[in-house]
Amino acid sequence: MRNIDAMLNPRSIAIVGASSDGRKLNGRSLRFLLEKGYAGAIHPVNPKYDTVAGLPCHPDLEAIPGPVDLVIVAVPAREVATTLESAGRKGIPAAIVFSSGFGEMGEDGRRLEREVAETARRRGIRLCGPNTLGLINAFERVIATFSQYANGDTPAGPVGFVTQSGAFGTAIAALARRRGLGLGYFVNTGNEADVDVVEVMRAVVADPRIRVLAGYIEGLKDGPGFQRLAEEAMAAGKPVVLTKVGRTGAGARAAASHTGSLAGVDAVFDGAVRAGGMIRARNEEHMLDIVEAFTGLDALPAGRGLGLVTQSGGAGVLMADRAEELGLTVPVLAPETQAALAKVVPGFGATGNPVDVTAQFLADPDVLRESVVLVLEDPQVHMGIIWLQLMEAHVDVLVGLFEEIRARTSKPFLVCWVAATDEALTKCRERNIPVFRGGEPAVDAAAAVIGYAESRRRLAADRPQRIALAPPPVTLPERAGLVPTLEAARLLGDAGVPLTAARFARDPDEAVAAAQELGFPVAVKIESPDIAHKTEVGGVRLGLADGAAVRDAVTAVMKSARAHRPDARIEGVVVQAMAQGDVELVIGLKHDPVFGPVVMAGFGGVLVEVLKDVAVRPAPVTRVEALGMLDELRGKALLAGVRGRPPVDREAVARLICAASAFAAGAGPRLTEVDLNPVLAGPAGVVAVDWLMVLD
Amino acid sequence: MRNIDAMLNPRSIAIVGASSDGRKLNGRSLRFLLEKGYAGAIHPVNPKYDTVAGLPCHPDLEAIPGPVDLVIVAVPAREVATTLESAGRKGIPAAIVFSSGFGEMGEDGRRLEREVAETARRRGIRLCGPNTLGLINAFERVIATFSQYANGDTPAGPVGFVTQSGAFGTAIAALARRRGLGLGYFVNTGNEADVDVVEVMRAVVADPRIRVLAGYIEGLKDGPGFQRLAEEAMAAGKPVVLTKVGRTGAGARAAASHTGSLAGVDAVFDGAVRAGGMIRARNEEHMLDIVEAFTGLDALPAGRGLGLVTQSGGAGVLMADRAEELGLTVPVLAPETQAALAKVVPGFGATGNPVDVTAQFLADPDVLRESVVLVLEDPQVHMGIIWLQLMEAHVDVLVGLFEEIRARTSKPFLVCWVAATDEALTKCRERNIPVFRGGEPAVDAAAAVIGYAESRRRLAADRPQRIALAPPPVTLPERAGLVPTLEAARLLGDAGVPLTAARFARDPDEAVAAAQELGFPVAVKIESPDIAHKTEVGGVRLGLADGAAVRDAVTAVMKSARAHRPDARIEGVVVQAMAQGDVELVIGLKHDPVFGPVVMAGFGGVLVEVLKDVAVRPAPVTRVEALGMLDELRGKALLAGVRGRPPVDREAVARLICAASAFAAGAGPRLTEVDLNPVLAGPAGVVAVDWLMVLD
């Protein structure tokens, strides 16, 4: 497939179905291109007219003299394929299809869409849409869209925005403009019959004029491409901030009815975002808050310490609350810093952190300026937030003060200005000072910036290990379905996953012999290719202390399994050594339709079953990534040792996760599922005591 | 103490330290009173002037002819007490003290503040402040404040707002004004030397012109008053929406340095808010979103079903996500509703729920109106949200449409209008249509309204039970410290708390006899007035199957306890019957300095230890409240039965919580702590197997 440069940066554009009525869908893009001064050639195509909007109008694409880079198609759905054939004959490399009436319209539409995609592929045309609002490259004034957004100014700027939703994307673009965020690109990918959101994001982030990429996502098709996007953006030093809907079951159901395709397992998407050092925003406002912070900051914070300077003690408390919830610190300032602040801040203010300069600074602006500079100079502070409110009469003084602070410090800071006037917001943004409407949004944005800075450092340090990841191919058994316990043990053991010793036994005698070999106490578990969940059929007996107990247990589990599942083929039992551990983990492997092999880790019992507290990553993972997964779990304090127990060997847990993830990556798509549950972890190491493997 | 009517609604106001310079602190209130047309008498007091701002100026308060209801004091801190003496001689019942330099200024200031408070008390003056911005009663144009907020319009309206922070409160008031929310009252309570935030809120909510109460809180002193506020507001049908800072440890530390007093245990405040059917907002913006929703709704929703009508599928998904996170439902619409919608909505839209009417409705506004009405008529839908974006050119059509919808339905609905113009927002708000900037804020506000409606129903049904709560007084032992296990068992058992049978034994022989009486297996636990946490000294042995095991266990626990705590007085052991249960709970009682006796419930193990998943209520609680506590726990699914187990007997758990809470209420402040941990619960009932009681 050729790249999509001709689509994003065409030197000439043809518009099929062009109209001179600039209010109509098929007239708007032409009007925008003319009004906003697109420098390339514009070729209206419509057999009904000789000229359109003062330009020569051609009866068809082939009648256009000279080359055409991009064709905008705004004809009825059933005429689109014919138009693309004509575009192919003309040698046009890219098309944007505004027309609707495709996949979104049921089976007939889907058939039409497949035909259009096939035509484009055969003719070597890269296609955006159908059912798209189109795109804007504001740098080159390519306004190839009929979006309401283009009704207003579309100033170029360092933000690229790619959206799978037209209507919602238009609103987000308008909100970005209100904040003075220049969108260098605005692209709606529509039905994605050819070009998808990932490919567009990769192309946009490659533009050197783009510094931050924002994306609105409903569902991904290309997981590996998404991972490459993350790598490329990280290498280029450009944050990627994404809103993806379909976080919950209800959302996923709504998304399925909306997009006609499942949104994918949200936890897998989330894991891929974290793995790649991208940033996930909760909603459009949160996304733009984060984008605004990034566009206004020259430096990234070197740590998690927030310095809060306010004119209200309560606002400081509110921000400290939010910082703690997000895992940031609000360090008590060094004695020297506090001593210096005490000379500046009024007696009824506060010099710890938050620092409360009180409204007195209006009488003497030095108070605020010097306080912020002192706080930012404290070695434990890595990023600052200045909180203030109203101050209609003091906008110029304050904005000047922020600029002075910026000139005197190398550490990043944000401004939170509650109930600011439009004048105040505009003046801050004109000077590239990120400004927020409330303390919580400001702390949320700071947390995203700090998280990104940490990801950058982590991924840079871990880069050699990531590059070195080369999971050896795994030869899986031919047979589909449940893999016999001992065969699964051999496969996982060869891959370096520690498992308790296990023996297969056909009858009580063999089981006793196995137990003697393993050493008592042992566990006995039913073995059947038809029984995945052994506990549910009464097929497990634990802590058997001697031969008699083993003999009884074999009889009992076989009887119970037969009673529960008369149809199941019972092959015997597995005898296992008993293992010990302070903490139960669950490690899982799956083949995700979008991302391929993925690894999942969580704590066993209530945390994973009731609270769904799991961390997910595309496989394979490095040691650092595996440790990152453990840090992400809400129950992570369990690993530090609860009730006076010594800490769990985190490195051993990470090794197990790495080994399992490498196995998944080596095994490929036939590995449907591996469930290591429970994995027992303690100070002396880790071992899986039960495992389940299913092949496709 | 007399009530504060004279402070909130004075017929005449004196201003001590008045200035005719309307920009100065001591001139602003006078200017505001004159400009905004306060109808009562205004008496400037200042020995330096004969007239101020055209009014006769008096040398002191006693020189004023006729009665004075309220005196505003704006003199240096050290002169405030003298001024109050003079006000007392004049018979003035209320004072607002703007002056700062009190408790916020260290020990000298605190001494001065005590003196002021004592003077006011002795003279029968109700005092707001010191260090307050003052208050506004916009109905009567009492602008007794120097807050920046009064620089603009201060229209009267149905919202009362009371704030412990001056600067932050001013910003919140300004934000409320921008939304067109009229603040009938704005009160800043300052240092609260006399009148506190709770008393003011109770007075404001009693005004029939107030329909919604908003509050910004840093720390409460009067827990019982806060509970009465909740009852009074609920009885009057007025929602109370509160922002309290100091949610986290970091926040509480910041609050301590800011207010000079601990914010109190946040979980207790939170429990009191839930118990009273009040609403807690995360921050100022969330609070105003909820207030806006309440002021615009005529009816409360009868259930949790949200109907979402959008012009963007993605926005519908985003709102469905948020609804699920907040425990709301987005029900699939009835077949009849969907059939009716299919006749209205374009083919590429969606008729489930969310309903996507697409941008087509611009061509035919009937599409949106009829869709919303159909969705609201669906029996499973109790509240609607209409999502749209931009539409600059269609504001009047849309606003008209919302009014038509309102006229045709009795169910409440909100509008989410992303990137709306100021004109659109203003026109909606002029018509009392709540309008939100994004889908998540709209769903958050809907959740608050739905939660309030549920609280109303729950509290109304539970009212007879609440009134009937009359915990009998409990006679506690005289001795402070750890209560002996059997004495604690008697106290708790008499109160109706189910406990495992227990016997005291001084030596192995007595222990074996006790075990035989109780029946094997048993547990043996060390008994010492100096050892609260028996496990930590190796003082517990469980599951002892026979006399020999009991004998060994007694020797072992005594030896271990002596080794760990050579100083401890070992009195013997407690022998207990072993109990069984599927789920471990922890039930606690404490005496909170603000709220008095409180009861706490959580799941044992990781949920309470690692995730702090607990529900708290002021004691005593009714059965309904106890069940509500269980529903609030994140791990509540455990009670429904995990891994195929039958559900836990929730009623039995609730009975235990009620009994324990009644014990706490009857015992009074000497009961420092009771810890029932673990409490074992299963399908057949509930029993506490370990208990700890500490007295003051």
Side-chain angles (χ1 to χ4, degrees), chain A residues 76 247 249 273 320 338 361 397 448 551 554 558 571 601 607 616 667 685:
Chain A
R247 287 195 302 255
V273 167
Q338 292 208 43
F361 78 89
V397 170
R551 204 172 286 279
V554 173
M558 285 189 169
E571 300 191 334
L607 281 168
V616 183

Side-chain angles (χ1 to χ4, degrees), chain A residues 100 104-105 131 148-149 151 165-172 174-175 177-178 216 218 243-258 282-285 311-318 320-322 324-325 330 332 346-350 352-354 356 362 387 389-392 394 418-422 437-441 584 604-607 609-611 613 634-638 642-643 677, chain B residues 100 104-105 131 148-149 151 165-172 174-175 177-178 216 218 243-258 282-285 311-318 320-322 324-325 330 332 346-350 352-354 356 362 387 389-392 394 418-422 437-441 584 604-607 609-611 613 634-638 642-643 677:
Chain A
S100 56
E104 76 280 9
M105 284 292 274
N131 190 28
Q148 285 186 77
Y149 168 62
N151 282 334
S165 167
F168 202 177
T170 291
I172 295 170
L175 290 171
R177 174 168 56 207
R178 286 201 192 165
Y216 168 87
E218 297 181 347
T243 303
K244 176 181 165 294
V245 297
R247 287 195 302 255
T248 65
R253 278 190 300 280
S257 92
H258 166 50
R282 281 190 305 282
N283 56 41
E284 72 280 13
E285 193 169 45
Q311 54 154 147
S312 154
V317 178
L318 182 135
D321 277 338
R322 187 65 183 157
E324 173 156 324
E325 284 173 350
V330 183
V332 175
F348 53 97
N353 185 12
D356 179 6
L362 289 177
W387 188 99
Q389 43 89 293
L390 292 166
M391 305 288 157
E392 296 94 335
H394 309 275
V418 178
T421 58
D422 286 344
R437 70 197 175 281
E440 283 212 357
E584 274 190 25
V606 61
L607 281 168
E609 286 173 30
V610 175
L611 299 185
D613 182 23
R634 278 180 281 171
K636 67 176 169 181
L638 284 173
V642 285
R643 290 185 174 164
N677 180 9
Chain B
S100 56
E104 76 281 9
M105 283 293 274
N131 190 27
Q148 285 185 78
Y149 167 63
N151 282 335
S165 167
F168 202 177
T170 292
I172 294 170
L175 290 172
R177 174 168 57 206
R178 286 201 192 166
Y216 168 88
E218 296 180 348
T243 302
K244 177 181 166 292
V245 297
R247 287 195 303 254
T248 65
R253 280 190 300 280
S257 91
H258 166 50
R282 282 190 306 281
N283 56 42
E284 72 280 12
E285 193 169 45
Q311 55 154 145
S312 152
V317 179
L318 183 135
D321 276 338
R322 187 64 182 158
E324 173 156 326
E325 284 172 351
V330 183
V332 175
F348 52 98
N353 185 12
D356 179 7
L362 290 176
W387 188 100
Q389 43 89 294
L390 293 164
M391 306 286 158
E392 296 95 334
H394 309 275
V418 178
T421 58
D422 286 345
R437 69 197 173 284
E440 283 211 358
E584 275 189 25
V606 60
L607 280 168
E609 286 173 29
V610 175
L611 298 185
D613 181 24
R634 278 180 281 169
K636 68 176 168 181
L638 284 173
V642 286
R643 289 185 178 165
N677 181 8

Side-chain angles (χ1 to χ4, degrees), chain A residues 475-495:
Chain A
T475 307
L476 295 172
E478 295 287 315
R479 207 174 55 247
L482 201 59
V483 179
T485 303
L486 285 229
E487 192 165 4
R490 184 186 55 74
L491 288 162
L492 291 165
D494 286 354

Side-chain angles (χ1 to χ4, degrees), chain B residues 304-308 323 328-331 353 381-385 443 446 450:
Chain B
R304 289 190 181 190
L306 271 191
L308 306 173
L328 308 182
T329 63
V330 183
N353 185 12
V381 169
H382 305 105
M383 185 165 186
I385 299 179
V443 175
I450 287 169

Side-chain angles (χ1 to χ4, degrees), chain A residues 611-627:
Chain A
L611 299 185
K612 316 292 178 210
D613 182 23
V614 294
V616 183
R617 292 287 185 281
V621 296
T622 65
R623 166 187 165 271
V624 166
E625 286 178 301
L627 291 170

Side-chain angles (χ1 to χ4, degrees), chain B residues 132-294:
Chain B
T132 174
L133 298 185
L135 64 84
I136 295 173
N137 168 350
F139 301 112
E140 311 299 339
R141 282 152 292 165
V142 177
I143 319 290
T145 184
F146 64 96
S147 167
Q148 285 185 78
Y149 167 63
N151 282 335
D153 279 347
T154 51
V159 180
F161 175 49
V162 185
T163 170
Q164 287 188 313
S165 167
F168 202 177
T170 292
I172 294 170
L175 290 172
R177 174 168 57 206
R178 286 201 192 166
R179 290 175 182 245
L181 294 173
L183 298 186
Y185 290 91
F186 165 84
V187 186
N188 172 217
T189 54
N191 289 8
E192 302 191 350
D194 174 25
V195 171
D196 73 352
V197 66
V198 168
E199 187 173 6
V200 176
M201 288 197 289
R202 290 176 66 192
V204 168
V205 91
D207 188 317
R209 297 166 294 189
I210 292 298
R211 287 178 46 215
V212 182
L213 180 66
Y216 168 88
I217 293 174
E218 296 180 348
L220 289 186
K221 291 187 287 194
D222 180 9
F226 188 67
Q227 292 174 270
R228 279 195 293 278
L229 163 67
E231 284 161 24
E232 290 158 3
M234 191 52 73
K238 301 179 183 183
V240 179
V241 191
L242 303 172
T243 302
K244 177 181 166 292
V245 297
R247 287 195 303 254
T248 65
R253 280 190 300 280
S257 91
H258 166 50
T259 63
S261 68
L262 273 171
V265 179
D266 192 76
V268 177
F269 173 84
D270 211 67
V273 167
R274 290 170 190 266
M278 298 188 279
I279 298 147
R280 184 164 186 187
R282 282 190 306 281
N283 56 42
E284 72 280 12
E285 193 169 45
H286 187 211
M287 178 168 73
L288 293 175
D289 283 343
I290 297 168
V291 169
E292 179 167 347
F294 277 118

